[in-house]
Amino acid sequence: MKDKTLITKFFDEAQTELEFIVGNVYSLLPGQEQLASSLKNAWHEIIPSFEIIKDQLNVIDADTLFVVGLRSYQLMLKYDLFTAARSAFREKSQDIDMLNRKQKKVAKDNIISALEAMHTILLSLKNVIPNVNAIMSFNSVLKIVLG
């Protein structure tokens, strides 16, 4: 799979996972409705960044991807890390509403691991594609709120 195709796939999957997390934020943050509402509103502002990033990715050359650590095996390692973390959190978090308090803690820990794995790819791109900063910032807030 070509590098840009894999990075585009990553952004599609990252958006799906973030939508899942935000969609379950009221269950993850019981009693914190205002914070949950703020997260949902912030998420809606960030959604357009994904398409902008994918468009901007088209003009980045292979040498730049290599320099930022998103080419060939460097990219595969980061993507595999994200995929493994994503699978772990999805396996434990299918129906967050039905989880008990201890299980929700495990789900939150798994979500944070997935966000950290997502962060490795975002960090590599942030200096090349400015819109990545919005997603990175949102990820950081989610990690703080869920931690």
Side-chain angles (χ1 to χ4, degrees):
M1 185 175 282
K2 291 191 162 245
D3 297 332
K4 288 183 183 181
T5 303
L6 186 57
I7 296 169
T8 299
K9 181 179 177 186
F10 160 77
F11 277 103
D12 289 338
E13 293 169 355
Q15 183 174 359
T16 298
E17 297 315 318
L18 289 170
E19 284 174 355
F20 176 81
I21 295 165
V22 171
N24 287 284
V25 74
Y26 289 103
S27 295
L28 291 167
L29 301 171
Q32 298 182 45
E33 287 78 19
Q34 179 60 40
L35 182 57
S37 179
S38 293
L39 279 170
K40 282 191 169 225
N41 291 335
W43 169 246
H44 290 292
E45 288 181 347
I46 291 167
I47 291 172
S49 295
F50 287 90
E51 289 306 315
I52 293 167
I53 291 166
K54 288 187 275 186
D55 287 343
Q56 291 173 342
L57 186 60
N58 290 326
V59 298
I60 296 174
D61 61 56
D63 290 336
T64 301
L65 289 177
F66 179 76
V67 169
V68 299
L70 290 178
R71 189 159 168 233
S72 190
Y73 292 111
Q74 296 177 72
L75 172 60
M76 286 303 301
L77 175 62
K78 291 173 184 175
Y79 181 77
D80 288 346
L81 176 67
F82 167 70
T83 300
R86 177 182 186 220
S87 294
F89 116 68
R90 278 304 192 140
E91 182 179 303
K92 304 282 187 201
S93 308
Q94 287 303 317
D95 192 358
I96 291 176
D97 287 332
M98 303 304 288
L99 300 178
N100 65 35
R101 188 176 180 163
K102 185 177 180 179
Q103 291 169 323
K104 280 185 183 180
K105 170 69 173 123
V106 170
K108 284 181 185 182
D109 290 345
N110 288 334
I111 289 169
I112 290 169
S113 293
L115 292 171
E116 288 172 354
M118 191 184 300
H119 188 78
T120 62
I121 294 175
L122 296 173
L123 185 62
S124 295
L125 276 177
K126 79 176 188 120
N127 292 325
V128 181
I129 301 176
N131 287 76
V132 169
N133 289 313
I135 298 168
M136 284 182 67
S137 178
F138 187 77
N139 265 13
S140 295
V141 168
L142 275 178
K143 287 191 287 188
I144 291 167
V145 168
L146 297 174

